[in-house]
Amino acid sequence: MPVDDFVVKPELAPKAPLSTGARLKVKLVALLNAVLPNSLLGRLSVVMILGVLVTQLAGGLIWAAQLRSKSESETRIAARHLAHSAAAAIRYFMSLPANYRPIMIQQLREMGGTRFFIASNDDLVPITAIGGNHLADLAVNEASDTLKEDLPFLPDFRLDFAWPDKLQVASDGLKIGDLPESWVQHILLVKPNPAPVLVIQTRLETGKWLYLAALMPNPYFLDSGNPLWLDRAVLQGLSLAAILLLTILVVRWTTRPLEALSDAAEAFGKGETVPELPETGSREFVKTARAFSGMRERIKRYLEDRERLFVSISHDLRTPITRLKLRTELLDDDHMRTEFHDDLDELDMMVKGALQSVKDSDIHENRTEVRLDALIGRMIRDAAMAGHEIAFTPSGINVMAKPLALKRALGNLFDNALFYGKKVEITIRQQPSAGSDLVEIELRDHGPGVPEEALSSLFQPYVRLEHGRSSNSTGMGLGLGISRNIVQAHGGELLLRNHPEGGLIATVILPAR
């Protein structure tokens, strides 16, 4: 048994399962590639905008926490201070005889300028309290605890925050708005921007409730704990818009030279004339531009030297080959003379093939818009005159290409299809998987096809299958390689595959622009 039977080939060896971390990493990379834009400008812009947003969000959360802590501390201090003042007022009214209290309340109203709006009621006044506000609840709790500490002998307290437009001041339904303006104008803020009012009700004795209404030292303290102020949101939005604009401008300014470098590399790879890259911009790009220019010059010199070398070698070999053919005629042995002739013919064919390969691959011409229907139509008319059966439907599709080079590439494929198949079908279409940027030219013959294991070797020079040698004895096995070189020089690809019903399919994929 051969030793190779015991060797596990790399392509047949079982792949080790990925770890959980590796799988998560692969999924994360796939998700980022799907979400992020394809361009460098888009990716840098997204990353910088996300960075700004995360920074603003983190800063906003820290600022909101500090603001909340500060507001809570200030609210506790203000509520205690107000509760101490209320306790002093309650002690004063408790010290008065019951029949003196209405007289004192009326005098206070007429004088104005007091801190509390005070009323005496026979029953507890229902208050529509402000609900769902953390600072209001905190102030009520703090003031209630302070009053209980200062006045532990009083049996009951009722504290609520309410808006002045619905605030009742008497048990008979009398509201703040029904009172004379002079009674409350220096005590409460009713209009134009009403402020919440703290109402303190305490029972002095049976059937007697003292009613006190006042503002907090900071009347609009409920808004102090809200980080989402309109002016702050507008400021954040303006700063984000400015950063976004500057990011796009800076990233665009940074990536524009890279785009020019990419275009120059692509054009040079397709054999087009490329102007010199400007050595301006960042230091890194200047170094890259100089390196690219130097590489381009070295490659051009290498290609020119290669072409001259092939031409020189092929030209120089023809003379000794001709001399050897003449000398073989002097041989007396017919069998040996025939063998020498065959070897020299084969050598001559290889020299001509090398010249043809260089000549057909290096076609110097400018790109222009090529009408594929007209180009293929001319080849079909010539083949139809020779009696070949060809099926073709015009598509109206054009591509930017070198006309002579593209004709040479398609002509080689067309000639192969005619030699090895009885019928040729040609189809031109936009590639459905890539939108309208790529064009497919498909040529199918109805010949015997190619063994699957031999498909990859068809592009090698001088490689010909048994069927090809018997059908076309004049060929040298260079046509497919030349066609692929020309298609690749256009930025495209040449693919070969067998048709399920028989025959070979050659597919040329070209960029439309």
Side-chain angles (χ1 to χ4, degrees), residues 367-498:
R367 291 175 180 263
T368 185
E369 189 173 8
V370 178
R371 296 169 54 201
L372 294 177
D373 293 344
L375 177 63
I376 295 177
R378 286 193 293 269
M379 294 189 299
I380 291 175
R381 285 194 296 270
D382 296 338
M385 294 176 61
H388 294 284
E389 184 179 356
I390 302 164
F392 173 65
T393 301
S395 63
I397 298 176
N398 301 340
V399 295
M400 293 297 296
K402 298 178 179 180
L404 183 59
L406 182 59
K407 181 181 179 182
R408 187 75 52 83
L410 296 179
N412 289 340
L413 299 175
F414 188 65
D415 292 340
N416 285 343
L418 293 178
F419 273 120
Y420 306 131
K422 300 177 181 178
K423 178 182 177 182
V424 179
E425 297 177 4
I426 303 177
T427 305
I428 304 175
R429 58 176 176 268
Q430 302 289 139
Q431 193 177 66
S433 61
S436 59
D437 293 331
L438 296 178
V439 175
E440 285 187 358
I441 307 172
E442 187 176 279
L443 296 92
R444 180 207 169 184
D445 62 49
H446 286 254
V450 175
E452 293 293 335
E453 63 274 10
L455 281 174
S456 59
S457 64
L458 290 180
F459 295 109
Q460 298 178 9
Y462 306 112
V463 172
R464 306 187 67 208
L465 303 181
E466 182 63 29
H467 177 71
R469 288 192 294 267
S470 61
S471 302
N472 181 14
S473 58
T474 60
M476 292 181 289
L478 297 172
L480 286 177
I482 293 172
S483 296
R484 186 176 68 169
N485 291 339
I486 294 175
V487 171
Q488 290 178 344
H490 281 78
E493 189 175 3
L494 174 58
L495 305 175
L496 300 178
R497 73 179 191 277
N498 287 311

Side-chain angles (χ1 to χ4, degrees), residues 222-259:
L222 295 182
D223 296 332
S224 63
N226 182 18
L228 299 178
W229 289 340
L230 180 61
D231 53 351
R232 180 172 177 81
V234 172
L235 179 62
Q236 293 286 349
L238 291 176
S239 62
L240 181 61
I243 292 173
L244 173 61
L245 179 61
L246 291 176
T247 297
I248 293 177
L249 292 177
V250 171
V251 174
R252 180 62 179 168
W253 173 68
T254 305
T255 58
R256 183 173 294 174
L258 297 179
E259 185 178 355

Side-chain angles (χ1 to χ4, degrees), residues 333-351:
D333 190 340
D334 295 338
H335 178 69
M336 184 176 295
R337 183 169 57 251
T338 301
E339 289 184 351
F340 268 107
H341 269 293
D342 292 341
D343 291 340
L344 291 174
D345 288 340
E346 184 177 353
L347 180 60
D348 189 34
M349 182 190 69
M350 295 178 65
V351 172

Side-chain angles (χ1 to χ4, degrees), residues 207-221:
K208 295 297 180 181
W209 286 79
L210 187 65
Y211 179 103
L212 291 84
L215 297 175
M216 292 283 285
N218 177 15
Y220 303 105
F221 77 101

Side-chain angles (χ1 to χ4, degrees), residues 31-61:
L31 179 62
L32 290 176
N33 290 332
V35 173
L36 291 177
N38 293 328
S39 64
L40 182 60
L41 171 63
R43 293 194 172 191
L44 288 178
S45 300
V46 168
V47 170
M48 295 188 70
I49 292 171
L50 288 178
V52 172
L53 285 176
V54 171
T55 303
Q56 286 189 343
L57 180 60
L61 292 175

Side-chain angles (χ1 to χ4, degrees), residues 8-19 23:
V8 179
K9 297 183 179 180
E11 62 272 13
L12 300 179
K15 296 182 179 179
L18 295 176
S19 62
R23 287 197 300 269

